[in-house]
Amino acid sequence: MNVRNVITFLTLLFLPIVAFADGDATAARVELISANIGLIKLVIFLIGFTLFVAGGYKLILLTEQGGKMAKSVPLVYLIVGAVLMNLTMSIGVFGNTLFKAGDFCFVVSEGAINNACMNTEVSGLTGELKGRIEKLSSGSTAEAFMQNVQIIIGILQIIGFIYFAVGAYGLAQVANGSSKDSGYGKPIITMFASALIVDIPHTAQMAIDTLEKIGINF
């Protein structure tokens, strides 16, 4: 099965949107994404710090009260607190486990598009599509297309970043008995799924490679 015609159709469908994209609007989106990343990191760090302190306090209570508290509760709180305070590094560990992808980075950060972040993977996924746009329109339109792709990836990374934190926090809730979930399975699955979203270029490339192995060629 070949999907080149589908790619061409999507290119023609998307081309007018990219061709009339406003450069100022693109810059504003980049600034907004960067600002949100900074705020989200701060909030998640504070939640992690609170959990870490709470874990230390529960550890003290455990030594004083003995069997009144499960021994795993303080440990889970301390681990989750450390994960949330170092969330970028934690996601990087998941990425290395899933893809051996190296250090994690944000495609959009510090008010600009980070072309060095996963550039090879992004180019590998969109290279043919960019070439088609250049033939149909111009190099500047193709470049605008690439910027829009990177902005979309940046938005997906924020979503994945937040849900990774939600999954980690869910582990603490399960340990404390305040979660609707009866076990650690759902929070762990949430963390793995969100790690796939954060590292979307590698995830997409893996999906494409899998499809090609079963005969669906791009």
Side-chain angles (χ1 to χ4, degrees), residues 3-20 128-138 141 145:
V3 296
R4 290 181 183 275
N5 291 333
V6 176
I7 292 176
T8 302
F9 172 75
L10 292 176
T11 301
L12 293 171
L13 189 65
F14 187 74
L15 186 59
I17 300 173
V18 179
F20 295 103
E128 183 176 348
L129 199 52
K130 182 181 178 183
R132 289 169 183 262
I133 293 174
E134 288 177 341
K135 291 178 181 179
L136 292 168
S137 183
S138 65
T141 301
F145 163 76

Side-chain angles (χ1 to χ4, degrees), residues 140-156:
S140 60
T141 301
E143 189 60 35
F145 163 76
M146 288 297 293
Q147 288 182 351
N148 277 277
V149 169
Q150 289 170 308
I151 287 172
I152 291 170
I153 291 174
I155 294 171
L156 290 174

